[in-house]
């Protein structure tokens, strides 16, 4: 198959990505390690429990572990000869998810967490995951209730309240 000027040859596109992948994976390892070191300087644990560096330390450790897993994956599992290509419609789903989260953030200010979540979660499930409406609404109601109970009742946090007081 001949590639026209300005287009990349699909046969060599995967090869270029394969050569770049170890460097990207090493960058994730370095970023995770750097975050762990910085979090440690903030103080991960204090006399009363977790301190300001605890969550960044956990995030850095997770990034570091995932980077190591990706870096060591070729050595542990030989390539199958097929390169990863995104599914059709993947970019659309990612953009819809970003738009949905942005809508949730903007809506929380005026409607409160409960209403904003009850509106955006079913929409995201239906548009991104293409679930049936009844399923999307059911999951949206359950997830909103669980998050609200965990953060307000169990952790004692204040969630943004809407015009109806919740």
């Amino acid at each position: 198959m001949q590639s026209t000027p300005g287009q990349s040859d699909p046969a060599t596109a995967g090869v270029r990505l394969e050569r770049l992948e170890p460097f990207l994976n090493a960058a994730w390892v370095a970023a995770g390690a750097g975050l762990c070191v910085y979090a440690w300087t903030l103080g991960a644990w204090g006399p009363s429990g977790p301190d300001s560096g605890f969550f960044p330390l956990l995030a850095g450790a997770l990034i570091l572990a995932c980077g190591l897993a990706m870096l060591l994956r070729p050595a542990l599992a030989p390539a199958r000869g097929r390169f990863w290509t995104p599914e059709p419609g993947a970019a659309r789903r990612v953009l819809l998810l970003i738009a949905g989260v942005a809508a949730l953030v903007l809506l929380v200010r005026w409607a409160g967490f409960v209403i904003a979540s009850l509106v955006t979660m079913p929409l995201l499930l239906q548009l991104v995951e293409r679930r049936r409406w009844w399923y999307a609404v059911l999951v949206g109601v359950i997830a909103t209730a669980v998050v609200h109970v965990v953060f307000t009742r169990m952790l004692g946090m204040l969630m943004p309240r809407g015009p109806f007081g919740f």
Side-chain angles (χ1 to χ4, degrees), residues 78-161:
R80 296 185 185 123
R82 182 172 174 258
F83 297 107
W84 178 82
T85 55
E87 295 178 23
R92 176 189 167 276
R93 288 193 307 272
V94 168
L95 292 175
L96 281 171
L97 184 62
I98 292 170
V101 171
L104 175 66
V105 168
L106 294 173
L107 195 56
V108 160
R109 177 175 278 162
W110 295 282
F113 171 77
V114 172
I115 293 173
S117 181
L118 285 173
V119 169
T120 56
M121 190 164 310
L123 282 173
L124 283 173
L125 282 170
Q126 210 287 320
L127 294 173
V128 175
E129 292 295 323
R130 301 203 187 262
R131 299 292 183 162
R132 294 178 187 230
W133 278 108
W134 68 266
Y135 178 83
V137 169
L138 178 68
V139 169
V141 167
I142 292 171
T144 299
V146 167
V147 168
H148 185 69
V149 167
V150 166
F151 282 94
T152 59
R153 305 282 189 256
M154 297 171 75
L155 297 176
M157 295 180 66
L158 296 174
M159 299 293 278
R161 293 177 181 248

